[in-house]
């Protein structure tokens, strides 16, 4: 495992997992990756905040829209009134910008797989899916 979090970004090749160390699902995903002997890079995305461009790239890899990976129960989501925001192509950039400005809104963990895809790895099955790619 390689740890990232000191301000430099990593390449998109290889497996990377975006985590919040305080999150039990993130710790579980890391444990499973370690148990499987996977090589991966850890990105503590609250410290090494992804840019809007990086978020857009991960969304493309996930095949999801920004509102699909928002943690709507976070206090900042309520402060911003995200539940009332439009969910269409015209609003997409606004959502991505909100994720970049408020990384706590990003669903976690996210694993970018070797094949250029990504998964929101909240279950063991999703982690195994990333490992199989």
């Amino acid at each position: 495992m390689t740890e990232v979090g000191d301000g430099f970004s990593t390449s998109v090749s290889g497996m990377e997992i975006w985590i919040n160390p305080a999150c039990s699902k993130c710790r579980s995903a890391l444990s499973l990756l370690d148990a499987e002997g996977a090589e991966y890079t850890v990105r503590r995305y609250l410290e090494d905040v992804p840019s809007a461009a990086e978020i857009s790239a991960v969304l493309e890899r996930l095949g999801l829209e920004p509102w699909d990976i928002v943690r709507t129960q976070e206090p900042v989501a309520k402060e911003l009134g995200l539940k009332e925001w439009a969910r269409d192509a015209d609003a997409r950039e606004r959502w991505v910008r909100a994720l970049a400005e408020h990384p706590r809104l990003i669903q976690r963990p996210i694993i970018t797989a070797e094949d250029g895809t990504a998964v929101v790895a909240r279950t063991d099955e999703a982690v195994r899916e990333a490992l199989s790619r």
Side-chain angles (χ1 to χ4, degrees), residues 2-10 41-49:
T2 305
E3 189 132 347
V4 176
D6 53 6
F8 64 88
S9 65
T10 60
T41 301
V42 169
R43 180 170 186 168
R44 295 175 181 230
Y45 71 93
L46 296 178
E47 298 164 19
D48 182 11
V49 179

Side-chain angles (χ1 to χ4, degrees), residues 61-86:
R61 293 175 80 168
L62 286 165
L64 297 174
E65 294 294 340
W67 47 84
D68 295 328
I69 66 163
V70 169
R71 298 173 53 81
T72 58
Q73 297 307 310
E74 287 291 324
V76 71
K78 293 175 182 171
E79 289 169 24
L80 294 172
L82 292 183
K83 287 189 177 184
E84 285 77 44
W85 286 20

Side-chain angles (χ1 to χ4, degrees), residues 3-26:
E3 189 132 347
V4 176
D6 53 6
F8 64 88
S9 65
T10 60
S11 67
V12 290
S13 63
M15 185 180 290
E16 180 176 83
I17 181 169
W18 291 8
I19 68 155
N20 173 351
C23 168
S24 63
K25 296 209 182 278
C26 293

